[in-house]
């Protein structure tokens, strides 16, 4: 019995710290409160000498190994252009900086790294900034983690704003390996810092976000929470994380794995679709087999209402469509506005038209037309002759004589009359004009007689 009690006690000693540690991987704090002003109710994670010896870091081997298992078939990270911006100022002790590099190695292990998958770059900063490697340098995890293991701290100040600007100017460029906007690959920056920035971060972070960069801010120990919130993207609470010590920062790798994970929700088996589950942007939706339609509950399916089901209410013809049905009518009938009943089309054969000469059937009705030589009047029913003799009809307005001309007419006057300027009325020719004409002709005649006499007398001589 004593042996059993001791065994249970040992098990509890092992399990309780693990359970307790996994319950509080990180904490978030409201805006405007610094980490050192928050009551110490949040669990601070610490490691014993034994646990430190078990870390997945081999000193002197220039390499890291990850305790996170490879990404399984259910969860695959989506492609990203990911840039880590890490603080290596004087406040970060050497052993703490090693913890940051372990965090980076574990993060790399959670990603689908590759030229056409996620690309990774690291920007190291203190009072100066150094791009350790850019997005086109490595496309495999081994090379990335080896490069991470060789990063050295820069010490001195904490110029976080300068580091964000350098990431925009040097890391997130197409020359450095960032994909063009047309590919729609998300650009993500993860900033890790343990202090207050010594330069302005709000404006430069705002420009970075405006350029399309999503910013996550991770604070450790003495980090200024307000500065983290000024840097982070919206929603801020989802983009700011805090841990009390560097000893537990690697636990955030699991958090980011879930954030960047493209989950095959259907494969998880948690959906309740009756027929088909379809993956959709990290979630799922239900669909139905052919011949079925999704019910309003978005889960179950029902047989589509087709003509064969007899549930339609078409008066004459039911026509099946892809997912439902529609009504139609027999020839000579047209579908009414209720889309169900039919009415007989008004045709020339029905004798309901009132055309004076010719009735012409159209698609759904009729129209009037006229015989050759006639034209349809404005009432669209009666016809008039195209060649109307205006002079014969007496509809002209000539005072004396009407002369037909093609399809029209012109006016003229009797002898002894002239047409006035209005081209319609006539005026009698004046006597003075007649006498002048007679006198002129007489003079011409007398001159001719004299000339003839003179010519004859000269011939005789």
């Amino acid at each position: 019995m004593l042996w059993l009690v001791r065994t249970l006690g040992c098990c509890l000693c092992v399990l309780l710290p693990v359970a307790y540690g996994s319950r509080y991987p990180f904490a978030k704090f409201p805006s405007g409160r610094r980490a050192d002003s928050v009551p110490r109710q949040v669990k601070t994670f610490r490691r014993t000498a034994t646990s430190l010896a078990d870390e997945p870091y081999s000193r002197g081997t220039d390499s890291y190994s990850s305790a996170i298992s490879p990404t399984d078939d259910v969860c695959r990270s989506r492609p990203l252009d990911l840039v880590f911006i890490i603080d290596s100022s004087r406040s970060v002790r050497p052993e703490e900086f090693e913890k940051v590099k372990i965090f980076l190695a574990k993060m790399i292990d959670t990603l689908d790294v590759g030229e056409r998958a996620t690309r990774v770059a690291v920007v190291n900063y203190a009072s100066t900034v150094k791009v350790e490697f850019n997005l086109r340098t490595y496309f495999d995890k081994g090379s990335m983690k080896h490069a991470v293991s060789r990063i050295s701290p820069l010490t001195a100040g904490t110029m976080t704003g300068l580091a964000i600007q350098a990431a925009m100017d040097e890391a997130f460029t197409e020359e450095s390996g960032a994909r063009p906007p047309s590919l729609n690959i998300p650009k993500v920056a993860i900033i890790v810092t343990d202090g207050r920035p010594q330069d302005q971060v709000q404006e430069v972070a705002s420009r970075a976000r405006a350029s399309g960069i999503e910013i996550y801010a991770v604070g450790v120990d003495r980090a200024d929470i307000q500065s983290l919130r000024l840097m982070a993207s919206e929603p801020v609470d989802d983009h700011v994380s805090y841990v009390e010590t560097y000893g537990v920062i690697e636990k955030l790798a699991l958090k980011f794995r879930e954030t960047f994970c493209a989950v095959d929700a259907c494969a998880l088996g948690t959906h309740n679709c009756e027929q088909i589950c379809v993956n959709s942007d990290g979630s799922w939706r239900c669909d139905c087999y052919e011949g079925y339609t999704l019910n309003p509950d978005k889960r179950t399916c029902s047989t589509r209402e087709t003509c064969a089901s007899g549930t339609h209410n078409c008066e004459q013809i039911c026509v099946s469509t892809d997912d439902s049905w529609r009504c139609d009518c027999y020839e000579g009938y047209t579908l009414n506005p209720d889309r169900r009943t039919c009415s007989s089309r008004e045709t020339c054969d029905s004798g309901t038209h009132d055309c004076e000469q010719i009735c012409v059937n159209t698609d759904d009705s009729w129209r009037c037309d006229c015989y050759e030589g006639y034209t349809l009047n404005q009432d669209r029913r009666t016809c008039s002759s195209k060649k109307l003799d205006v002079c014969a009809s007496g509809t002209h307005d000539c005072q004396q004589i009407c002369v037909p001309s093609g399809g029209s007419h012109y006016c003229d006057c009797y002898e002894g009359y002239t047409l006035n300027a209005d081209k319609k009325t006539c005026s009698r020719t004046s006597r003075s004009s007649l006498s002048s004409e007679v006198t002129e002709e007489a003079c011409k005649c007398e001159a001719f007689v004299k000339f003839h006499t003179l010519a004859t007398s000269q011939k005789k001589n």
Side-chain angles (χ1 to χ4, degrees), residues 80-203:
L80 304 170
D81 284 341
L82 177 60
V83 176
F84 291 98
I85 304 175
I86 56 172
D87 178 3
S88 64
S89 59
R90 185 179 292 110
S91 61
V92 183
R93 301 180 183 89
E95 63 273 14
E96 293 175 335
F97 191 67
E98 294 301 318
K99 296 292 185 183
V100 175
K101 294 196 287 185
I102 293 172
F103 165 67
L104 296 185
K106 288 189 175 184
M107 280 293 303
I108 290 170
D109 270 330
T110 67
L111 304 170
D112 294 329
V113 171
E115 185 174 3
R116 296 189 177 183
T118 294
R119 299 182 182 184
V120 177
V122 176
V123 175
N124 187 12
Y125 80 95
S127 57
T128 59
V129 179
K130 179 182 179 183
V131 179
E132 298 291 348
F133 57 87
N134 61 40
L135 294 170
R136 68 166 68 250
T137 306
Y138 305 113
F139 296 127
D140 65 279
K141 296 181 181 181
S143 299
M144 284 184 187
K145 291 194 290 184
H146 180 71
V148 166
S149 70
R150 300 178 66 84
I151 297 176
S152 299
L154 300 176
T155 68
T158 308
M159 305 295 286
T160 309
L162 181 65
I164 297 173
Q165 187 64 54
M168 285 193 292
D169 295 341
E170 301 179 42
F172 283 112
T173 64
E174 293 186 31
E175 293 77 13
S176 297
R179 266 73 64 95
S182 59
L183 295 181
N184 201 28
I185 303 295
K187 291 177 171 55
V188 179
I190 298 179
I191 303 171
V192 181
T193 181
D194 74 339
R196 179 192 293 272
Q198 295 177 344
D199 56 358
Q200 296 297 318
V201 296
Q202 184 174 6
E203 183 178 348

Side-chain angles (χ1 to χ4, degrees), residues 136-388:
R136 68 166 68 250
T137 306
Y138 305 113
F139 296 127
D140 65 279
K141 296 181 181 181
S143 299
M144 284 184 187
K145 291 194 290 184
H146 180 71
V148 166
S149 70
R150 300 178 66 84
I151 297 176
S152 299
L154 300 176
T155 68
T158 308
M159 305 295 286
T160 309
L162 181 65
I164 297 173
Q165 187 64 54
M168 285 193 292
D169 295 341
E170 301 179 42
F172 283 112
T173 64
E174 293 186 31
E175 293 77 13
S176 297
R179 266 73 64 95
S182 59
L183 295 181
N184 201 28
I185 303 295
K187 291 177 171 55
V188 179
I190 298 179
I191 303 171
V192 181
T193 181
D194 74 339
R196 179 192 293 272
Q198 295 177 344
D199 56 358
Q200 296 297 318
V201 296
Q202 184 174 6
E203 183 178 348
V204 66
S206 178
R207 290 200 305 271
R209 295 192 299 268
S211 71
I213 300 173
E214 184 178 9
I215 300 179
Y216 289 86
V218 177
V220 184
D221 195 10
R222 301 167 297 276
D224 178 45
I225 301 300
Q226 180 62 24
S227 297
L228 298 179
R229 296 179 68 88
L230 290 176
M231 293 185 287
S233 295
E234 295 287 345
V236 172
D237 288 342
D238 292 340
H239 288 78
V240 173
S241 301
Y242 173 81
V243 291
E244 289 196 346
T245 68
Y246 280 100
V248 292
I249 190 173
E250 75 257 23
K251 291 184 178 293
L252 291 181
L254 295 175
K255 169 185 178 288
F256 282 111
R257 177 177 182 269
E258 294 176 358
T259 300
F260 300 146
C261 183
V263 178
D264 183 352
C266 293
L268 293 174
T270 57
H271 67 86
N272 57 353
C273 299
E274 184 180 21
Q275 293 186 357
I276 300 173
C277 177
V278 180
N279 282 302
S280 177
D281 297 329
S283 185
W284 52 268
R285 62 178 176 83
C286 295
D287 203 351
C288 300
Y289 301 133
E290 187 175 357
Y292 291 81
T293 185
L294 196 64
N295 292 329
D297 62 8
K298 302 299 183 182
R299 299 288 184 272
T300 59
C301 301
S302 298
T303 304
R304 291 175 182 163
E305 285 193 345
T306 62
C307 296
S309 66
T311 57
H312 67 86
N313 56 354
C314 299
E315 183 180 24
Q316 293 186 357
I317 300 173
C318 176
V319 180
S320 293
T321 60
D322 289 338
D323 57 357
S324 187
W325 50 268
R326 63 178 177 82
C327 295
D328 203 350
C329 299
Y330 301 133
E331 187 175 357
Y333 290 81
T334 184
L335 195 63
N336 292 328
D338 62 8
R339 317 306 297 172
R340 297 288 183 271
T341 59
C342 301
S343 297
S344 176
R345 294 175 184 162
E346 287 192 347
T347 62
C348 297
D349 296 337
S350 66
T352 57
H353 69 85
D354 55 356
C355 299
E356 183 181 24
Q357 293 185 359
I358 301 173
C359 177
V360 180
N361 287 312
T362 60
D363 289 338
D364 57 358
S365 187
W366 51 269
R367 64 178 177 82
C368 295
D369 204 350
C370 299
Y371 301 133
E372 186 176 356
Y374 291 82
T375 183
L376 195 64
N377 293 328
Q378 291 183 350
D379 62 7
R380 315 307 297 171
R381 296 288 185 270
T382 60
C383 301
S384 297
S385 175
K386 294 179 180 177
K387 296 181 180 179
L388 183 64

